[in-house]
Amino acid sequence: MTSYEHIRGNLVRQQKGMELLLELLEEEFSLLQQNSTEEVVALEFSIHELLRQLADERMEIKSIMQDTRIAEYAEMLEEERCAEIKAILKGIDAAEQKSARQASHNTRLSLALLDQSQSLLDYLHEQVAPKSEVVYGRKGGFQSQRGGPALLNGRA
């Protein structure tokens, strides 16, 4: 396999990987909207594995190219191959941008769901916590009881 074919193959894998990442992120968004927590967690593992594989592909191409940028390498190729490499790079960039936007949407939605869950939890806790009542103390005066947990002592 020539170095061109190796580089092209790596770039094609990256492009397909980025397109798959976008699909997974869109599926995650749909699951977040349906509040399907277990499915989101399972999908997260797939997303993280895909990101790891994409990072490996990037590291491989970086080691092959040494300090040469791919766009510079493409310029050294014949016109047809140059256009092909540039088209692949454009596809990778477009998929990466769309994935970043979708990930941002997913993050906002998951944080909103987290805030909503925390608010509901706070409300439920408030409802089950004992209410503070005003009562007479030992010396005959009004005394407010604390609503929260406290240590009880037989002496005062």
Side-chain angles (χ1 to χ4, degrees):
M1 182 185 306
T2 67
S3 65
Y4 167 77
E5 291 168 344
H6 190 75
I7 291 169
R8 183 188 169 282
N10 183 294
L11 292 174
V12 167
R13 285 191 302 276
Q14 284 186 48
Q15 182 180 15
K16 298 295 182 190
M18 290 305 296
E19 291 168 358
L20 176 60
L21 178 62
L22 179 59
E23 289 177 26
L24 291 176
L25 288 170
E26 288 170 346
E27 182 180 344
E28 180 185 44
F29 187 76
S30 171
L31 291 172
L32 283 168
Q33 288 176 319
Q34 299 168 12
N35 207 12
S36 302
T37 309
E38 288 157 13
E39 288 88 354
V40 169
V41 170
L43 190 58
E44 276 295 315
F45 285 114
S46 299
I47 290 172
H48 286 284
E49 178 60 22
L50 178 58
L51 288 172
R52 187 195 61 74
Q53 291 173 6
L54 284 169
D56 288 347
E57 292 289 342
R58 293 248 169 126
M59 294 307 291
E60 180 185 341
I61 196 93
K62 198 172 191 176
S63 71
I64 292 170
M65 300 300 295
Q66 295 169 352
D67 284 331
T68 307
R69 294 182 54 211
I70 297 174
E72 293 170 357
Y73 168 75
E75 292 296 329
M76 293 186 273
L77 299 171
E78 59 191 54
E79 190 175 325
E80 184 179 307
R81 287 184 168 184
C82 176
E84 184 179 23
I85 294 293
K86 285 185 174 184
I88 294 170
L89 287 175
K90 200 179 249 188
I92 290 171
D93 188 52
E96 196 171 330
Q97 294 298 322
K98 289 177 185 175
S99 294
R101 281 192 297 276
Q102 187 63 51
S104 177
H105 292 314
N106 292 8
T107 300
R108 283 197 304 270
L109 180 56
S110 64
L111 289 175
L113 290 171
L114 176 67
D115 288 345
Q116 182 183 29
S117 296
Q118 186 62 45
S119 296
L120 178 60
L121 186 61
D122 291 344
Y123 172 76
L124 291 174
H125 183 266
E126 183 181 295
Q127 295 304 308
V128 297
K131 305 289 185 246
S132 150
E133 298 177 9
V134 179
V135 296
Y136 286 106
R138 267 189 307 166
K139 298 182 181 175
F142 282 113
Q143 176 180 335
S144 288
Q145 287 183 322
R146 285 179 283 202
L151 291 174
L152 295 176
N153 190 347
R155 298 180 179 182

